[in-house]
Amino acid sequence: MRMKKLTREPSKTNKADSHPPILYGHVHMAKTGGTSLNGIFANTFERVCGHKGYSYDAFQDNERAKMKVKKGQNIRSEGRSRVFLPIMQEIGFEDCDYISQEDNWQFWTNTFGNGTFHGMKMELHVPCRNRLDHLMSQCNMKRKNIACDAKTDEELFKSVKECFVFLLDRYDHALLKHFDVRCFDFKKQFNDYTSYMSDILQTRRFQSTPYVKRDTNRPRNKANECIWENRAVLEKIDKYLLETVP
């Protein structure tokens, strides 16, 4: 069983600026731009409830971030830009149209076990990114290097696994048994995907612009990533990821 590609369906549009007929969930995979997507959505649309921001106070949260930029301070996901799961559970999800969460995949089955919430159908959206590029972004975050000169495959794959950032925790194909799961292109999330959801979610009356990106990673230099210069190693890793990561 595979997840479906996200396609525009007119029956799901929300021109009346009310609650959509479906509750949406964003499976926040580490190193796929999810922090920015959650923040932008919370600042743009109503009733977004996310680990990295809620609609109801996104305006002031972004205004504070803009002041930090003026003062030359680092912008990180903290304060109201980081709402931990126990707080989200205490608030509840009854006033949410779009839920973004980076907890393990069981969060979805434990909270919305039969794929519905108060009888409303739920649809999960998962970012899809090139697996090798995704791996190297995770290596960059953890400041790890792939052992391209490894003497054995075991040593090579050990260095690959050391880069994983919750890669095997946040999504599992078991979700397909409970939810309608759709994937969206990581590269198009801030244009095509946002446009798609803008036909569904209610636009906020007041928005703080421009959105200030929260830093979660250091700059990445692909020239320092050895896999791109070693075809044999690249193909081994690609096959390993294909067979290991759902």
Side-chain angles (χ1 to χ4, degrees):
M1 187 180 294
R2 296 175 178 269
M3 71 176 79
K4 304 170 186 175
K5 183 178 179 181
L6 193 66
T7 55
R8 191 177 297 273
E9 299 179 30
S11 62
K12 294 182 180 179
T13 58
N14 182 38
K15 300 296 185 181
D17 284 345
S18 59
H19 290 287
I22 293 175
L23 181 61
Y24 294 89
H26 167 231
V27 181
H28 182 168
M29 302 296 294
K31 304 296 100 189
T32 60
T35 295
S36 293
L37 185 71
N38 184 171
I40 290 170
F41 272 33
N43 194 57
T44 305
F45 304 116
E46 295 287 4
R47 297 179 292 278
V48 171
C49 308
H51 179 55
K52 296 299 177 63
Y54 273 64
S55 297
Y56 70 85
D57 63 349
F59 185 101
Q60 291 300 331
D61 183 50
N62 197 61
E63 289 296 301
R64 288 189 290 271
K66 287 160 66 174
M67 290 300 298
K68 288 183 178 180
V69 170
K70 290 182 179 180
K71 296 177 181 179
Q73 299 174 352
N74 290 332
I75 310 299
R76 302 191 181 280
S77 293
E78 55 189 6
R80 296 303 305 159
S81 296
R82 191 178 183 90
V83 186
F84 291 100
L85 181 58
I87 300 298
M88 295 182 71
Q89 292 173 322
E90 183 178 343
I91 295 170
F93 302 101
E94 282 73 15
D95 196 39
C96 305
D97 290 341
Y98 188 95
I99 300 165
S100 178
Q101 180 54 251
E102 61 177 17
D103 198 53
N104 60 46
W105 66 268
Q106 290 94 337
F107 160 78
W108 301 104
T109 54
N110 291 340
T111 310
F112 314 99
N114 61 351
T116 63
F117 189 56
H118 293 289
M120 177 177 287
K121 180 182 176 182
M122 187 165 198
E123 182 176 290
L124 297 185
H125 293 175
V126 182
C128 294
R129 182 177 184 178
N130 175 278
R131 50 185 168 266
L132 291 169
D133 189 54
H134 189 201
L135 171 68
M136 298 315 300
S137 181
Q138 294 170 84
C139 290
N140 180 58
M141 178 187 179
K142 297 184 75 173
R143 300 178 181 246
K144 299 284 187 178
N145 295 313
I146 297 297
C148 290
D149 57 351
K151 303 300 182 185
T152 65
D153 287 352
E154 182 181 8
E155 183 183 351
L156 173 63
F157 297 148
K158 180 176 182 293
S159 72
V160 170
K161 289 188 288 186
E162 287 176 347
C163 286
F164 288 179
V165 182
F166 307 112
L167 189 59
L168 302 177
D169 300 325
R170 296 188 182 176
Y171 174 81
D172 191 276
H173 286 321
L175 290 172
L176 296 170
K177 299 177 182 178
H178 301 269
F179 300 92
D180 186 1
V181 183
R182 307 295 180 101
C183 69
F184 62 89
D185 190 339
F186 155 82
K187 293 183 178 180
K188 299 178 180 179
Q189 62 184 318
F190 300 117
N191 39 62
D192 289 3
Y193 178 63
T194 300
S195 175
Y196 172 87
M197 293 307 300
S198 70
D199 283 341
I200 298 170
L201 301 175
Q202 180 182 351
T203 302
R204 296 195 61 189
R205 179 165 51 182
F206 301 116
Q207 300 176 24
S208 171
T209 57
Y211 173 75
V212 179
K213 182 179 178 181
R214 277 56 166 174
D215 295 327
T216 62
N217 224 5
R218 61 175 178 163
R220 178 181 160 199
N221 186 354
K222 292 189 71 172
N224 295 332
E225 299 169 357
C226 64
I227 70 166
W228 309 114
E229 302 299 325
N230 193 322
R231 187 71 183 179
V233 168
L234 185 147
E235 291 178 352
K236 279 185 180 181
I237 295 175
D238 189 48
K239 184 174 184 293
Y240 174 77
L241 292 173
L242 183 60
E243 296 175 347
T244 306
V245 181

